[in-house]
Amino acid sequence: MLNEGSEFAGRYKFIKLLGRGGFAEVWLAEDNMTGVQVAVKVYAPGTGLDENGIKIFTQEFAGVFDMNHTNLLRPTHYDCYDRMPYLIMPYVKNGSAFKYIVDEQKIPEDECWKMLHDVAAGLAYLHEKNPPLIHQDIKPDNILIDDEGHYLITDFGISARVRSTIRGALAQEQSGGTLAYMGPERFSTTPKPIMASDVWSLGAMMFELMTGMPPFGNHGGMLQKNGADIPIIEGDYSQQLKDIIYATLAKEPWDRPSARKIEELAYNKLHGIVTPTENAAQNVETEPVAPVAPTPPPIESPLAEATGQQQDFTPKQQQQDFTSNQQDFTPRQQDFTPKKSQPITPKKGISKGIIAAAVAGVLVIGGGIAMCGGNEDDSQPAATEPVAAAAPAVNYDSLAQVKISEGIALTEQADTFMTNHIEDKFDEKYNKVEETYLAALQKLESALDDEDSLSATVVSQAAARKDTVKARLLGIYKELQESAEFVPEYKSRAEAIQPIISELIETNSNNDDNDE
């Protein structure tokens, strides 16, 4: 067992225990070599891991040591002592966000926006890795506060594979994550965590810091999956802040905003940025508007203010272009107020011609009825000729974004599979992951059926998503090709992908030739 005053790995003298979880213990220690205080995180304390477990652990952490982001607490050293893997990290003396709960403080609104921004920024960085890195355990204990007041995510890089390895060593049965912060999809027949699962955990954490309790107690999304509504957030917080928290806690993963979108909204709020659409809405006098036929809800629509007016979702200026990243707009989300009604999903293949024909048919029938019902007395004034009603407005951007959101969901599903089956993703006992990517690509291409009627932004979004999926398919194609001589089935699977990404294959081949 680990104890205060004991020396660890011949170098670190334990001063006091900072925290203990299901997998590890964190100790404040003094580095005997430098005299500096550090945090030592020891995994599988007391029992240790076998050789295979240590190998798996080492392989996994090799993939996260190049992570470099302002809102991630990056380890400075990794090693193994007495079969116990451990990390050396900077000691953050301000502790974690859990202090708000321990001190029974309600986090102030300004601090809420800052934490939302920082944690979402760190998550977006992880989610935009290829393949995406899912944290799986966002909670107050894993959000540290540095001397400058920045919020730092810790405990990232603990994949399902590593968790399973440690659980086996410690004879534990619980799943990865903490129940109170696990979204409803984590309790389904396919409980693999996805990017949207981290967003739900972020919302549950913020809800707890704002109200003193997680939204569904210690049962997490299990209650929501069984029909429980999202509780109302009490307290002196703006409706804008409440709405974004409600949105993160949406039951369906595709109804939640992405981490990148949350970061952008929080950034704009913290810096007082008013988008052009919002500014225009505030300066236009309200006038009666004739009723218009309803249109399907837009996917990436503005955040509802307390006044009911909308904000524009124009992202803030970033230091790098995130157009091609995993998530850059919110799927099937009209505003950030939870709704019980199901989003409208148009049938595949709807076109302008069909809509126009339907409208024309209604007008012709209406005119015929009016003519048949005319006055029989010719001496009477002729009936006023009916005025054709205006054709219903069709929001082609909205229709396209519904399809784009479906493509995103499929892409994320395949990304998650690739993450969790990194070594055996092509094993015959698993689904062919490339088929999921191909289905995603088909959805994204169908979004462009009415390209001439779409805004340049939506066209760009669909195109960027297509490029992302094709890049995934190229990686799979290469791996299948490399193993085709040993597994005949791989050759046919590679040949099925080839026509879809032929241009990308050719470009890649030319680049390889130039490198030589």
Side-chain angles (χ1 to χ4, degrees), residues 33-51:
M33 185 176 292
T34 63
V36 174
Q37 288 190 344
V38 296
V40 182
K41 185 157 193 172
V42 184
Y43 292 89
T47 62
L49 302 176
D50 59 21
E51 290 301 320

Side-chain angles (χ1 to χ4, degrees), residues 311-325:
Q311 287 184 327
D312 183 73
F313 269 37
T314 306
K316 73 177 191 296
Q317 292 284 333
Q318 297 286 349
Q319 292 182 351
Q320 59 185 108
D321 182 18
F322 292 106
T323 306
S324 60
N325 285 327

Side-chain angles (χ1 to χ4, degrees), residues 287-510:
E287 297 181 1
V289 180
V292 180
T295 60
I299 300 312
E300 184 179 349
S301 66
L303 174 64
E305 284 282 294
T307 59
Q309 292 181 346
Q310 295 182 328
Q311 287 184 327
D312 183 73
F313 269 37
T314 306
K316 73 177 191 296
Q317 292 284 333
Q318 297 286 349
Q319 292 182 351
Q320 59 185 108
D321 182 18
F322 292 106
T323 306
S324 60
N325 285 327
Q326 291 301 308
Q327 297 178 327
D328 52 23
F329 64 90
T330 307
R332 286 167 41 182
Q333 184 71 26
Q334 183 172 9
D335 55 37
F336 283 116
T337 305
K339 298 179 175 59
K340 293 184 179 179
S341 58
Q342 295 297 317
I344 300 171
T345 305
K347 292 183 179 179
K348 183 177 179 181
I350 187 168
S351 67
K352 294 181 288 183
I354 294 174
I355 295 170
V359 174
V362 172
L363 297 180
V364 170
I365 293 171
I369 292 173
M371 291 175 66
C372 293
N375 196 318
E376 295 180 0
D377 186 357
D378 294 337
S379 63
Q380 295 297 323
T384 304
E385 192 172 317
V387 178
V394 179
N395 190 333
Y396 289 100
D397 277 4
S398 178
L399 299 180
Q401 286 179 324
V402 169
K403 297 176 183 177
I404 292 172
S405 70
E406 292 172 347
I408 291 172
L410 287 167
T411 304
E412 186 171 324
Q413 178 184 335
D415 285 344
T416 301
F417 180 89
M418 294 283 277
T419 302
N420 292 328
H421 298 285
I422 192 68
E423 288 190 347
D424 48 16
K425 54 181 174 284
F426 298 132
D427 194 294
E428 62 183 0
K429 67 182 178 181
Y430 296 110
N431 294 327
K432 297 176 181 177
V433 69
E434 70 268 20
E435 291 183 354
T436 307
Y437 282 124
L438 288 170
L441 190 61
Q442 185 178 22
K443 286 289 184 183
L444 295 169
E445 288 175 341
S446 70
L448 297 172
D449 284 347
D450 293 304
E451 184 172 347
D452 293 342
S453 302
L454 301 177
S455 68
T457 300
V458 172
V459 172
S460 176
Q461 287 171 346
R465 296 291 180 179
K466 285 173 59 179
D467 289 345
T468 298
V469 175
K470 286 186 175 182
R472 302 281 198 279
L473 287 170
L474 178 62
I476 293 174
Y477 172 82
K478 288 181 175 180
E479 292 191 58
L480 289 172
Q481 281 283 77
E482 289 175 1
S483 303
E485 61 179 305
F486 305 107
V487 184
E489 180 196 352
Y490 286 1
K491 183 177 182 181
S492 60
R493 287 170 65 176
E495 289 173 348
I497 302 174
Q498 186 173 7
I500 309 296
I501 55 171
S502 56
E503 292 184 4
L504 203 57
I505 294 172
E506 183 178 351
T507 301
N508 190 261
S509 178
N510 291 337

